[in-house]
Amino acid sequence: MVHGKKSYLVVFLLVLSLALSTALAEGGVTVEANPDSATGYTATFTYEDPDAARVQIKGGFTFYRPGDIYALSNGRLNLDGSIADPEHLLTPETWEPGASRFGDSGYVADMTFDEATGSWKTSVNLPGGSYLYQFVVTDSEGNETTVTDPANIPSVNALGANQERSQFYVSYNPEKQAESDDWTFVLPIDDESAKGEILWLEYEGATFEGSESNAQQMMIYLPAGYDAGSEKPYKVLYLCHGGGGEEGDWFHQGNAHNIVDRLIASGQTEPFIIAAIDISSGTDAELVANVLEYTIPFMQDNYNASAEVEDRAFAGLSKGGKLTYAAYQLASDQFGYFGVFSVGHPSSDYSILDAVALNEPVLYLAVGYADNTLDYAFQAGQVPMAPFSVYLSDVGVDYVGLNVVEGGHDWFTWPQTLRDFVATALWK
């Protein structure tokens, strides 16, 4: 699968089935069909700790009514999922068909201790999709610790990632849920032969200030049937995480592999490679240079990756979206496609017109309805996504609209934007 190795290359050939199974040991979470559930399914959580004084479930189980003005651009909703007026935030107890997901860690509820088993339990009813959760454990002295479910450790961590939230899937019930509740697109595809593979690897890159090593990490998706010897090389999407994230985010929290597996299988896109890069260190300019000078050459030397500009794409969310703006500015002649998710344009640093003068690749913009980057500037000189899209139209820059999906600044929005980017803009 890897060819043309360089002596410095350390490749961890830990190959993960992209189903990312949620098979569990004692405890954990189980999802069962339930005719008495408003959604048709119930998720039951179990945490083994008889010495704990209190245990809570913390997860992305909050919702809002589509079109609610209180949710628009996070007007009344906070990034942690809280809200000034609870009337405008739905929970599993008040969920309604068609409710929009918001806040991937905003729901917190007490679990009940079962003395007979020495375990803590609680259940919630949820519509179809992928969910993230943790346990909040309080000991006898009142010390509170947030922990990953020990019975459902993120599968990508076995490869080298460092994900802290556990994940599970819920199926879609068309009899109880609305059409918009169908999030099957993030679930593992049933056909095993249509599943790609994930590799985590370490390679030689630039040495950033404050770092003693030039070792860098990537997590790579190879599509089903990947052929290292194919005469036609594969196109590559270089995908970036957000602030505080890591290279495993897109495949664990974002289900990028499941999304692309399904799009390829349905013929909505051709098979291609995803290289999820770590952008934790370095300035924007340094990171762009690193991709051009190290990451792309590594991919072309070790994988059957195309060397053609039009076969390369750069995309990211939040901080990764800001880096995508930088790549558009500094290297728009090195990529054919750019996807910017959930971040305002740093106009004080980058000139779109200068980038267009260099080259004019496909530019795609997307954001969540309840994400305040839609129309709020976090930094001086920043232009939020809505007014920036108007500016692009005013100055005549061609771009693929501004896709506003339901969701906040969270892992409910970004799987939607990735799916739409790939299905409607990428390689088109």
Side-chain angles (χ1 to χ4, degrees):
M1 188 173 298
V2 178
H3 56 87
K5 291 183 181 179
K6 296 182 178 179
S7 60
Y8 63 77
L9 176 63
V10 179
V11 179
F12 295 82
L13 292 178
L14 297 170
V15 181
L16 177 67
S17 167
L18 298 191
L20 292 182
S21 170
T22 54
L24 305 173
E26 289 296 320
V29 56
T30 57
V31 179
E32 298 179 321
N34 178 6
D36 296 325
S37 164
T39 68
Y41 288 93
T42 298
T44 299
F45 302 88
T46 303
Y47 183 74
E48 308 279 344
D49 188 351
D51 297 324
R54 182 187 190 189
V55 179
Q56 297 170 294
I57 183 70
K58 178 180 181 181
F61 315 144
T62 48
F63 309 84
Y64 66 88
R65 296 177 181 88
D68 190 339
I69 193 64
Y70 289 91
L72 178 62
S73 192
N74 205 16
R76 291 287 294 278
L77 296 173
N78 298 319
L79 291 180
D80 63 359
S82 62
I83 190 170
D85 185 347
E87 173 187 350
H88 299 284
L89 187 65
L90 303 177
T91 66
E93 295 76 27
T94 58
W95 174 85
E96 302 170 358
S100 300
R101 296 152 169 81
F102 172 83
D104 50 31
S105 62
Y107 178 86
V108 180
D110 283 320
M111 301 176 69
T112 301
F113 183 64
D114 183 345
E115 293 187 1
T117 62
S119 61
W120 299 79
K121 291 189 177 182
T122 194
S123 297
V124 295
N125 300 323
L126 295 168
S130 169
Y131 296 91
L132 302 166
Y133 72 98
Q134 293 172 293
F135 294 120
V136 182
V137 183
T138 304
D139 64 21
S140 58
E141 297 181 357
N143 300 310
E144 188 176 282
T145 306
T146 301
V147 300
T148 308
D149 185 349
N152 186 18
I153 298 297
S155 298
V156 293
N157 288 5
L159 296 179
N162 187 30
Q163 296 294 304
E164 297 180 350
R165 293 187 287 183
S166 299
Q167 178 196 50
F168 66 96
Y169 300 113
V170 179
S171 297
Y172 172 62
N173 183 325
E175 295 182 0
K176 293 198 171 189
Q177 301 174 31
E179 185 175 345
S180 62
D181 296 320
D182 186 357
W183 276 55
T184 306
F185 71 93
V186 299
L187 272 59
I189 194 168
D190 293 331
D191 183 357
E192 291 292 329
S193 67
K195 294 178 180 179
E197 294 178 332
I198 293 176
L199 300 173
W200 182 91
L201 54 90
E202 196 169 75
Y203 69 106
E204 182 182 272
T207 302
F208 300 118
E209 183 178 355
S211 175
E212 298 179 356
S213 172
N214 64 358
Q216 296 180 14
Q217 292 75 42
M218 275 198 297
M219 190 162 280
I220 296 175
Y221 163 85
L222 300 177
Y226 169 77
D227 183 359
S230 171
E231 292 185 7
K232 180 182 178 182
Y234 292 82
K235 298 172 181 178
V236 183
L237 167 61
Y238 294 89
L239 197 55
C240 306
H241 59 76
E246 58 138 36
E247 67 278 0
D249 288 3
W250 270 109
F251 296 115
H252 178 63
Q253 302 178 73
N255 292 289
H257 54 296
N258 295 336
I259 294 168
V260 176
D261 280 345
R262 289 179 175 275
L263 291 175
I264 293 173
S266 64
Q268 295 181 71
T269 189
E270 64 184 272
F272 66 94
I273 297 171
I274 298 175
I277 60 177
D278 180 25
I279 61 168
S280 300
S281 301
T283 65
D284 287 349
E286 289 172 338
L287 286 165
V288 171
N290 183 74
V291 171
L292 297 176
E293 297 170 13
Y294 293 96
T295 313
I296 290 175
F298 167 80
M299 291 300 298
Q300 293 175 182
D301 287 347
N302 295 280
Y303 294 90
N304 192 4
S306 174
E308 300 298 324
V309 169
E310 60 268 25
D311 292 344
R312 293 197 292 260
F314 199 105
L317 65 94
S318 195
K319 177 184 176 182
K322 179 175 177 288
L323 182 61
T324 304
Y325 280 133
Y328 187 95
Q329 164 68 18
L330 301 171
S332 64
D333 58 345
Q334 295 299 311
F335 299 91
Y337 303 83
F338 290 89
V340 178
F341 313 146
S342 300
V343 66
H345 181 262
S347 60
S348 59
D349 299 320
Y350 309 120
S351 168
I352 281 291
L353 295 181
D354 288 345
V356 170
L358 179 64
N359 195 52
E360 193 168 359
V362 174
L363 177 62
Y364 172 97
L365 307 176
V367 66
Y369 174 85
D371 185 339
N372 53 11
T373 62
L374 177 63
D375 64 4
Y376 177 79
F378 283 95
Q379 299 173 349
Q382 187 182 72
V383 182
M385 299 202 78
F388 182 64
S389 66
V390 174
Y391 165 77
L392 290 176
S393 298
D394 288 344
V395 299
V397 174
D398 189 23
Y399 69 102
V400 186
L402 173 60
N403 182 27
V404 180
V405 302
E406 296 291 351
H409 200 79
D410 54 44
W411 283 106
F412 289 124
T413 287
W414 301 318
Q416 296 180 79
T417 60
L418 177 65
R419 178 183 62 162
D420 188 71
F421 176 53
V422 174
T424 67
L426 192 61
W427 323 133
K428 301 298 186 285

